[in-house]
Amino acid sequence: MPLWCIGYILWLESDTWNLSNILCPCRGPSSPIAKALCSWKDYYEWRCIPFQSPVSLLLHWPLTVYHSVQLAGLGSLTSEISKLCIHYLGPEKELLQLAVFGELRALFPGVFVQIELIGPAVPHHRDGDKIDLHSYAHCIEQDCDCRYKNENTSCSICHTSSAVTLQLHRGYYHERFLDISEDSHPHLVIAPNAGIAAYASWLPTIELIKEINVPAVFSDYCEEACNLAACCINAVTNQPPRLPIQLNPFRQPMVVEDSPLHLPCYSNCFLFAM
């Protein structure tokens, strides 16, 4: 199945899961996270979702954010701070399913999560848009209490104060950093499916990340792409990866078709950090 079809199958235009409440996390968790989640099995059991549910096909975005925070050594910090600021580079497919990031409310309870999404794929008309996620994405069932808890709203994305706030910025990170960082200096930079070796525009961004000395986690579709990316970063920074290339336990569990690399590829498959 082509990846562009996934959102249309699992997701409705109103930012609602096209699934019953048994199969999706439309409400808050029944219990707090007892220990760090290390696999999809851990997540599904914690959220009381059956393993046949396909939600991981979209939730790999927020779960990769969660795992990156743990990798960067910020997991313990989230219990000590009231606000976590993340700069999220190069969003594309995520822009069509932003409500899935509402799951970060469950993953970082009691923490205000602010994510700045920066990239050239952000449409001109959405540059500067601020989106507050005040609830979880609803399920498809009209009588589920996930709807009645927010009876004055029709969907899970509304412009009100919330635990998770997203702001969109069009352009490259090294071009937009100064104006963004005035109000939002990051604890962490994340670049999902970055393709660093394929785009020369990453080089000034890598130089900037080195200069601001903030942990940065990169992912890509396969191990070879991460190896090439790490070589490019080393050429700029003269430093090896802060964290070695490793498999992401929260990668999207569906192979990417028609990959030009002729290798098994998955979205957010491998990770490393500088």
Side-chain angles (χ1 to χ4, degrees), residues 4-274:
W4 63 266
C5 292
I6 293 172
Y8 293 98
I9 293 173
L10 299 182
W11 209 243
L12 300 180
E13 291 183 1
S14 59
D15 298 306
T16 298
W17 289 106
N18 192 16
L19 296 167
S20 70
N21 57 12
I22 296 175
L23 295 174
C24 66
C26 63
R27 293 161 292 187
S30 58
S31 62
I33 298 176
K35 61 179 181 179
L37 304 175
C38 297
S39 66
W40 281 121
K41 182 176 183 291
D42 287 349
Y43 172 78
Y44 273 60
E45 289 179 345
W46 169 59
R47 286 301 250 137
C48 303
I49 300 171
F51 293 140
Q52 67 266 28
S53 169
V55 292
S56 56
L57 297 178
L58 293 183
L59 287 177
H60 69 101
W61 301 116
L63 267 295
T64 293
V65 170
Y66 168 81
H67 187 60
S68 297
V69 169
Q70 309 304 316
L71 283 181
L74 300 175
S76 59
L77 179 65
T78 59
S79 64
E80 303 170 2
I81 61 175
S82 59
K83 180 178 179 180
L84 175 65
C85 182
I86 295 170
H87 287 184
Y88 189 109
L89 312 188
E92 291 184 8
K93 298 179 181 70
E94 305 96 308
L95 297 173
L96 301 175
Q97 294 120 21
L98 291 175
V100 298
F101 287 96
E103 186 63 9
L104 294 173
R105 298 176 70 240
L107 294 165
F108 298 113
V111 178
F112 179 86
V113 181
Q114 180 179 352
I115 303 180
E116 309 288 339
L117 296 101
I118 310 108
V122 173
H124 285 283
H125 69 277
R126 301 199 68 186
D127 187 14
D129 273 8
K130 187 175 182 180
I131 302 161
D132 293 326
L133 302 177
H134 67 90
S135 66
Y136 302 97
H138 298 159
C139 67
I140 199 173
E141 297 182 21
Q142 295 298 318
D143 60 348
C144 179
D145 61 5
C146 70
R147 297 176 180 275
Y148 304 132
K149 289 178 181 178
N150 297 284
E151 59 186 11
N152 294 325
T153 62
S154 59
C155 67
S156 61
I157 294 187
C158 293
H159 296 265
T160 59
S161 60
S162 66
V164 178
T165 293
L166 313 176
Q167 188 154 16
L168 308 183
H169 307 272
R170 179 177 173 83
Y172 295 110
Y173 190 48
H174 54 274
E175 298 173 341
R176 300 298 309 267
F177 175 76
L178 287 180
D179 60 288
I180 294 171
S181 62
E182 288 181 2
D183 302 313
S184 169
H185 194 79
H187 294 98
L188 176 68
V189 174
I190 298 175
N193 297 325
I196 290 173
Y199 301 99
S201 57
W202 275 110
L203 296 180
T205 288
I206 297 303
E207 292 174 347
L208 171 63
I209 294 172
K210 178 186 178 184
E211 180 182 338
I212 64 176
N213 194 29
V214 170
V217 176
F218 303 87
S219 77
D220 224 312
Y221 290 97
C222 66
E223 187 174 15
E224 179 60 19
C226 282
N227 279 318
L228 294 172
C231 289
C232 291
I233 292 175
N234 178 261
V236 174
T237 65
N238 293 317
Q239 296 175 349
R242 176 181 174 182
L243 290 174
I245 296 168
Q246 54 197 273
L247 194 63
N248 177 13
F250 297 107
R251 62 195 176 278
Q252 186 183 59
M254 185 178 212
V255 70
V256 175
E257 295 183 358
D258 302 322
S259 169
L261 297 175
H262 303 292
L263 293 169
C265 293
Y266 299 83
S267 184
N268 288 319
C269 190
F270 282 84
L271 298 163
F272 69 98
M274 67 171 283

